[in-house]
Amino acid sequence: ARKYENVYGDLSAMITPVQFFDLKYILKNRELKNKVLFGTDYPGFPCEFMVKPTSNVFYDTYNYLEKIGFDDKMFNNTERLLNI
């Protein structure tokens, strides 16, 4: 991601408990954090202990990602890369 301008990471592979330590590193690094896309095909809510779940999985996922340190930039990256 650092070497190539158009290389991004899809958040869906990063929010699993196994990848959580890597995700913490990415969140601390501004350059890498800005190379994250929300490109998952279906939102997952991996850590219910961090945000109280509701009946809306989209809302829950967004709140979880915001709580751990992501912002709307990841959605903008997806839109910009896919030209939508």
Side-chain angles (χ1 to χ4, degrees), residues 10-24:
D10 181 357
L11 189 61
S12 65
M14 297 180 209
I15 60 173
T16 64
V18 174
Q19 299 295 328
F20 193 71
F21 293 106
D22 295 327
L23 183 57
K24 286 172 66 175

Side-chain angles (χ1 to χ4, degrees), residues 30-58:
R30 181 182 168 100
E31 182 182 15
L32 291 177
K33 182 179 171 182
N34 289 332
K35 300 288 289 219
V36 173
L37 300 173
F38 186 78
T40 184
D41 57 349
Y42 187 77
F45 190 56
C47 298
E48 291 183 1
F49 62 88
M50 297 214 36
V51 178
K52 185 178 178 182
T54 68
S55 61
N56 185 329
V57 70
F58 294 99

Side-chain angles (χ1 to χ4, degrees), residues 57-67 71-72 75:
V57 70
F58 294 99
Y59 181 78
D60 294 342
T61 301
Y62 181 84
N63 283 336
Y64 166 72
L65 297 174
E66 183 179 51
K67 185 170 183 84
D71 52 35
D72 289 339
F75 297 106

